[in-house]
Amino acid sequence: MNPRGLEISSAQRIAENGFISAIGNTPLIRLKKLSEETGCEILGKAEFQNPGGSVKDRAAYYVVKDAEERGLLKPGGTVVEGTAGNTGIGLAHVCRSKGYKLVIFMPNTQSQGKIDLLRLLGAEVYPVPAVAYDNPENYNHQATRYAEERENCVWTNQFDNVANRQAHIETTGPEIWAQTQGKVDAFTCASGTAGTIAGVTRYLKEISGGRVKCYVADPPGSVIYGYVSSHGKELGSRQGSSITEGIGQGRITSNLAPDVDLLDGALQISDAKSIEMVYRCLDEEGLYLGASSCLNVAAARDLALKLGPGNTVVTILCDGAYRYADRLFSKKWLHEKGLWEHVPERLRGYAVLD
C-alpha cells in the first residue's frame, strides 16, 4: 500500500455508533486555482462527505440528541420538522439509525424528487400550501401543531433551536482550528438557519482571541447583508430571490442572534458569481458542488481579495450538485434565469442538459 494510503487509513476511525459516529471530521480541500489567483490559501471544508451528504447532518444529529437529553424524546418517539432540504435528509438518516419516526412538512412547491427521496429514507411527508410565515397554515406552524398534539413527539425547530449552533461550536469550529493548526485567518459562509456561521464564528473568535475575521455571505433577496452591514440598525424586508437553496433569511434567527455582533462584516454574492463558480469548481478543482456551496466559495475568493495575500481563508462546501443538476447544468434553465451569459464561455460544454 502506498504511503499516502497508509496515512489516510490511520487517520480514519471505526464509526462504532453507526451513522451518527460517521458525521464530521471532514477534510479541508485546498482550492488550488483560487489560492493561486488570490495569493491566499483558500480551503473548503468538504461537508458533502458527511454520510447523509451535507453539512446538515451535524445539526440533525445535535437537535435529536438535545431532545433526548432533555427527556423530550424517548425510544419509539417521533421527530417533526418543517424543511424542504438537507436538514430533512439528515434527520431522515439520523432517525432511521436511532429508531425514531420522522414526519416532514414542506411547501407543496417543492419538487417530487425531494418528496420521493425523503419517503425513500423512511420519512412521512406532508406537502402543504406554500404560504407566508405569518400565516398559521405555513408549513413550520403545521409541524409545530402536529408535534404539540402528540405524545413522545418533538418539533426540532431547526431555525431557532440553538442545539443547531452548538453542533458547530463543538465540532466544525474545533475541526477547522485543528486542521489549520490554528493558522486560519478568516472564515466565511452563508446563513440559512445560521447554525454554521454562528457556531463556527463563536468558536474561532474565542479560541483565537478575536484574531480570526468572520464574514457572513448572503444571496440576493436576503436581509442578513443589510443587517450586518448596518451594525444591526437596518433589518429591512426581503426583496428579490436567488437560485441558491437553504440560505438567505428574512429575519434574525435564534441561532444567529447571540453571535451576530461577533461578525466582522458581510459579503453579498450575486447569482451570477455563484453560477460562475459552479462551473469553475467543476472544471478547475474537479468539485461537483451545489450553488450554495459555490456562493460560499465565491465569498471566500472575495474575502481573500479584501484581506490581501498571505491569509488563510476557510469556507464550507455544504453539499454536492447531485440534487440540483437538472437546473444548474440545463441550458434552458440558465437562459430562463438570465444566467447563461455568466457561465464562462470556455466552460459552457458542461451544460449538457437541454
Side-chain angles (χ1 to χ4, degrees):
M1 191 171 182
N2 65 61
R4 177 60 176 159
L6 288 170
E7 178 190 348
I8 293 171
S9 296
S10 63
Q12 299 300 310
R13 78 274 186 219
I14 295 174
E16 293 182 351
N17 290 322
F19 180 91
I20 60 172
S21 296
I23 296 171
N25 290 306
T26 54
L28 280 176
I29 298 176
R30 181 176 184 264
L31 303 180
K32 298 180 293 182
K33 184 68 173 178
L34 293 175
S35 296
E36 291 165 5
E37 278 183 14
T38 60
C40 292
E41 288 293 288
I42 297 182
L43 309 175
K45 193 145 175 62
E47 291 299 287
F48 56 83
Q49 290 194 11
N50 279 305
S54 87
V55 66
K56 293 295 188 179
D57 286 2
R58 297 181 189 257
Y61 171 50
Y62 263 70
V63 294
V64 170
K65 181 166 75 82
D66 176 69
E68 292 172 331
E69 290 172 350
R70 292 194 291 137
L72 302 176
L73 187 62
K74 300 177 179 63
T78 300
V79 172
V80 186
E81 185 54 270
T83 177
N86 285 325
T87 300
I89 293 167
L91 281 170
H93 283 288
V94 170
C95 287
R96 287 298 349 116
S97 73
K98 295 175 77 66
Y100 298 124
K101 176 182 175 181
L102 175 65
V103 175
I104 296 289
F105 285 81
M106 65 163 62
N108 61 8
T109 52
Q110 299 301 311
S111 70
Q112 188 61 42
K114 284 185 176 179
I115 296 170
D116 292 343
L117 175 58
L118 285 165
R119 287 175 173 160
L120 180 151
L121 292 171
E124 190 174 302
V125 183
Y126 293 97
V128 299
V131 295
Y133 186 79
D134 58 5
N135 187 314
E137 296 307 307
N138 175 275
Y139 68 101
N140 281 297
H141 302 318
Q142 292 205 47
T144 307
R145 290 197 298 270
Y146 183 99
E148 289 174 346
E149 292 166 359
R150 289 163 174 81
E151 294 292 326
N152 197 16
C153 187
V154 63
W155 174 46
T156 45
N157 188 15
Q158 60 168 324
F159 287 92
D160 296 306
N161 184 342
V162 294
N164 175 349
R165 167 179 170 266
Q166 194 65 28
H168 301 284
I169 293 174
E170 294 185 10
T171 68
T172 320
E175 288 171 28
I176 290 170
W177 185 257
Q179 288 169 311
T180 61
Q181 297 181 316
K183 296 176 182 177
V184 55
D185 297 298
F187 174 77
T188 184
C189 77
S191 173
T193 64
T196 307
I197 183 65
V200 174
T201 292
R202 168 64 64 178
Y203 182 84
L204 292 179
K205 284 290 186 182
E206 290 186 349
I207 195 72
S208 71
R211 178 184 62 80
V212 177
K213 302 294 185 185
C214 296
Y215 282 71
V216 64
D218 213 31
S222 174
V223 304
I224 304 299
Y225 173 80
Y227 185 82
V228 173
S229 299
S230 68
H231 303 287
K233 296 176 183 176
E234 183 181 319
L235 183 58
S237 59
R238 299 194 77 157
Q239 296 183 357
S241 61
S242 171
I243 63 166
T244 56
E245 296 187 26
I247 57 174
Q249 187 53 261
R251 64 188 179 94
I252 304 302
T253 65
S254 296
N255 280 294
L256 181 57
D259 302 312
V260 69
D261 291 338
L262 295 178
L263 293 167
D264 294 284
L267 302 162
Q268 193 162 54
I269 306 298
S270 67
D271 283 348
K273 284 185 175 182
S274 296
I275 202 69
E276 175 196 8
M277 201 57 72
V278 167
Y279 283 78
R280 286 194 62 184
C281 284
L282 178 57
D283 183 72
E284 297 168 2
E285 308 291 345
L287 292 171
Y288 185 55
L289 302 172
S292 300
S293 296
C294 290
L295 180 145
N296 286 345
V297 174
R301 176 192 58 187
D302 286 1
L303 184 53
L305 292 171
K306 179 182 179 71
L307 297 176
N311 286 283
T312 296
V313 180
V314 175
T315 193
I316 300 292
L317 308 181
C318 322
D319 67 358
Y322 302 98
R323 288 190 285 274
Y324 321 110
D326 59 341
R327 285 159 287 163
L328 297 178
F329 298 95
S330 162
K331 291 188 284 289
K332 179 181 178 182
W333 184 85
L334 289 165
H335 278 295
E336 288 174 350
K337 296 295 181 182
L339 293 171
W340 177 250
E341 65 186 42
H342 299 291
V343 177
E345 190 170 351
R346 65 185 176 85
L347 304 181
R348 290 177 181 175
Y350 288 109
V352 296
L353 304 177
D354 292 329

